[in-house]
Amino acid sequence: MSAEIIEAKEKSQLRQKQMIANHFELLSRAKEEGKKVVYTFVPGNLTELIGALGMLPVLPEINALQSGMRKKSAAYIAEAEKAGHSEDVCTYVKCDIGMMKSGNIGPTGMKLPEPDLLLLSYTGCFTFLKWFELLKQEYKCPIVMLHVPYQPDGVITKEMRDYVVQQLEKEVIPALEKVAGKKLDMDELSRRAALSAAAEEDLVAVWESARHRPSPIDGYFGGVYYVGPIFSSFRGTEDAVHYYRELREEVESRIQAGLGPMAPDGRVTERYRLVVEGPPNWTSFNDFWQMFSREGAVVVSSTYTRVGGLYDTGFRHDPKRPIESLAEYCLGCYTNLGLPTRLKLLERYVREYQADGFLINSVKSCNSFSVGQLLLLRKLEESTGVPGGFIESDLVDPRYFGKANIENRVQSYLQMLAAKKERKAS
Ligand code: SF4
């Protein structure tokens, strides 16, 4: 049984690796094959629309995090700082700018094509605006912005939806059509929305599998791999549907076998169940993961893995109302939610996934996540009675990952959870 499971696990990982490699290859040939390229952001991405018009998306955050994992980000950030970008700027931005100034060689070593359009889907993070202003100075291509109203109290009103739909119909789609040189085929958009919904359904089943004991997944360190296809270029494709179906089947096999998730240092035996808020560190990702896996700490749910779409609150792309559902998708992105809604979501994760604790990884350069995190910590402790922990690092700037310091904090926190469990048991 376990050999089958390991083989099945490798199948989905291999499939994902191949999908991503294929996409970068397609991008490297885009100009000679006459394919148009759209740069856009992960939260609020309109991949179905871009794909329906035969264009290819480039997601700058994905390039930055991949550069971080491949130890290339420090040099890119230094390049951007030399060009005058301050230490406080989001390090994804500096990594991207540094990469561009160093020849725009993507993380896989292949050159990235220049954009034919900058599609700024603004979902709550002000840095998105500034980032594309900088790219606009470098690239001689048009830019179009989708303004998504902030959700201060967790409600999407009819007016908010209509406002986004109107912009999509009157500004964004015409701008995309102009660059693509053809009209949008609504049947093709609906077909892609249906594929998105199928993949989203399976992804939610994967998230919810963490309710089992032991959890068959790590919903943060493992989870960032799981969201790779749906957060990047593959939503609305058959590839994504196959990937998530395969992943779901693997996870179900692990549940049947009573197995926990794999980590870089082997299979994890669950001792602690955690919820994590905030993005991970990418430059020392495996070291960071092993601080948890070695101690048997499994993350049962996290907010970062919802940053490109909150599917476990019930949202699905809808082939019957593709444009409206794109608007709802953008409105519902995690970066677009106010603190009370984020708090409710975290409370739900702590309760539904029966977490022993929750940990906040406060990332220096991401204001969108780190604002209000200390308040979240206090409120969440009050409302759930579960103890919280707080660590600080960064996304892709290795200067802000203090391994010994973070490890000490994680260990002390887990020791405190162990003592609490013992007191409860006695
Ligand atoms: S500040 Fe945070 S949310 Fe905004 S672009 Fe940077 S990493 Fe993304």
Side-chain angles (χ1 to χ4, degrees), residues 61 90 92 125 127-128 131 335 365-368 395:
E61 305 107 303
C90 164
Y92 273 179
C125 174
T127 302
F128 292 150
W131 193 339
T335 46
S365 61
C366 178
N367 291 330
S368 182
L395 296 159

